[in-house]
Amino acid sequence: AARYGLPAGDVRWRSVNGYLYVSVDPADPETFPQLEEAARETLESRRWREEAQQWFGVARARVIEGNLALQAVDLDMLDDRRLARHVQHLVANFLSVAPLHFEHLSFELAVGELVRAGEVWGLTVDNVAGLVRGPVAGSPPVAPSLDRVAAALAVAGVREPADLDDVRNASGDARTTVDDYFSQFGWRVNRFDVDEPVLIERPDRIVSDIRALIEPTADTTAAERRERERLAMRDRVPQREREQFDELVAAARSARRLRDDGRGVCVDWPLGLIRKGLLEAGSRLLAAGRLDESPDVFEAAPMEVVDLLWGKRALRPRRNSRRAANCA
């Protein structure tokens, strides 16, 4: 925030009934002169536009390479001590790459720039929100898409795949794409936590998503509707300023793409890999009698998991305080 000139105080985190809460204190007024200078430089240089270039051009590939390397480790080949070290590596990976997502502030700033310009053109905030939806024109996909799987199944005449075997057996293209999709999305968490099943554990969900995409007109209609909305808004902009309108919309959409992709790659995926390691640890610890139930491993601190795998302790039974609070 300070790098961009945004006022923000200290950030405090607390656990309440097992849920993590965050509070941001007011900014210190003594920092305002420095923040004002940083804000001026940010607006003059539009530095938020560099974020997407840096992420998609450099940082993203490095983070994905690290995630894939950890994901490829065959846990069955690790003894308990090596599994303990692997869990430590998974936690270290998360702590290393997760801050990258929270450093990305371009979405708020790019949309703010579009809102400010839209006010001059008579566009409301709701109009701008509609414009931000959808991909940047001409930009390549950032990850394997299920649309390609659905298209391959439609060509093969498979309209209602019953399971993943139906998908993989329909065509080589469908098999390759769905496997690529699983490799990048299969182990991503959904809610910033490691204690709920992920996609690779729920293949029925991905089959359901593919079925919804097989209807060939559904996605096309949504894309065409977004483009009609964009053109309608564009017609309300003075002719000489329409190029600026196009640039601002593209920048805002790119920033949204960065925000969503950065969270998935830097936070959801590394957390999911921690889940993968903990599932293996929980299974082994239950068999060894050091856990009462394998899901209890999700209630342990990282070093407790290491100590458990090294045989240094047994985890006392723990009620999941979140579930207890929700049931109360």
Side-chain angles (χ1 to χ4, degrees):
R3 179 164 53 95
Y4 278 92
L6 298 172
D10 292 336
V11 180
R12 293 176 290 124
W13 305 82
R14 293 292 184 274
S15 176
V16 180
N17 289 331
Y19 290 99
L20 196 61
Y21 286 79
V22 61
S23 176
V24 182
D25 291 335
D28 182 354
E30 293 186 3
T31 66
F32 287 174
Q34 294 88 350
L35 291 174
E36 183 176 358
E37 181 61 29
R40 183 180 297 109
E41 293 179 2
T42 295
L43 293 174
E44 290 176 353
S45 66
R46 287 175 168 76
R47 67 173 59 172
W48 60 88
R49 298 192 178 190
E50 298 176 1
E51 277 191 1
Q53 297 174 0
Q54 173 66 20
W55 171 246
F56 290 111
V58 180
R60 184 178 191 271
R62 174 178 57 81
V63 177
I64 288 179
E65 181 181 9
N67 289 343
L68 287 173
L70 290 169
Q71 185 171 288
V73 174
D74 187 348
L75 303 187
D76 290 336
M77 300 299 293
L78 305 180
D79 61 23
D80 287 356
R81 283 184 171 269
R82 291 172 65 195
L83 177 61
R85 287 195 293 271
H86 179 67
V87 170
Q88 290 178 302
H89 293 158
L90 294 172
V91 173
N93 177 61
F94 170 72
L95 295 176
S96 172
V97 301
L100 292 175
H101 167 60
F102 295 99
E103 289 178 4
H104 294 158
L105 299 176
S106 62
F107 179 73
E108 289 82 356
L109 295 165
V111 173
E113 187 182 33
L114 179 57
V115 168
R116 185 172 61 177
E119 291 174 348
V120 177
W121 297 326
L123 304 181
T124 67
V125 173
D126 287 341
N127 294 150
V128 170
L131 290 169
V132 173
R133 293 196 304 269
V136 183
S139 63
V142 297
S145 171
L146 289 181
D147 294 335
R148 184 177 166 188
V149 178
L153 292 177
V155 170
V158 179
R159 294 288 176 179
E160 295 185 2
D163 50 34
L164 278 177
D165 286 338
D166 280 355
V167 174
R168 291 191 170 104
N169 293 334
S171 74
D173 189 34
R175 179 186 299 107
T176 299
T177 305
V178 79
D179 288 345
D180 288 346
Y181 190 86
F182 266 121
S183 76
Q184 290 207 32
F185 290 92
W187 282 105
R188 297 192 189 193
V189 301
N190 297 310
R191 297 197 306 169
F192 284 123
D193 210 339
V194 298
D195 66 347
E196 294 186 1
V198 294
L199 185 62
I200 205 164
E201 301 171 77
R202 293 286 309 278
D204 56 305
R205 286 177 48 194
I206 195 170
V207 173
S208 177
D209 291 342
I210 292 171
R211 284 177 185 159
L213 291 171
I214 289 177
E215 176 57 48
T217 61
D219 224 32
T220 303
T221 300
E224 289 178 346
R225 183 170 63 251
R226 287 195 299 266
E227 181 61 11
R228 284 197 300 269
E229 291 173 356
R230 188 189 70 83
L231 292 175
M233 295 300 105
R234 192 176 190 272
D235 288 342
R236 295 168 58 178
V237 176
Q239 181 75 37
R240 65 181 181 278
E241 297 176 355
R242 289 178 182 174
E243 183 176 346
Q244 179 189 8
F245 170 86
D246 293 339
E247 292 177 354
L248 292 176
V249 171
R253 287 181 174 180
S254 180
R256 176 175 179 172
R257 179 170 167 252
L258 166 63
R259 182 193 64 176
D260 295 345
D261 186 63
R263 169 182 166 169
V265 172
C266 294
V267 179
D268 297 345
W269 193 352
L271 276 178
L273 295 178
I274 293 175
R275 173 177 175 80
K276 182 183 180 184
L278 292 178
L279 285 171
E280 178 66 22
S283 177
R284 295 188 189 188
L285 293 170
L286 179 65
R290 293 197 286 272
L291 288 182
D292 287 344
E293 298 181 21
S294 57
D296 285 348
V297 73
F298 297 122
E299 302 301 320
M303 282 310 300
E304 284 183 299
V305 177
V306 172
D307 287 347
L308 285 163
L309 287 168
W310 284 359
K312 293 184 177 180
R313 70 169 81 190
L315 190 67
R316 291 180 300 173
R318 293 182 179 177
R319 292 182 63 196
N320 187 314
S321 54
R322 280 171 291 185
R323 294 190 178 93
N326 289 337
C327 293

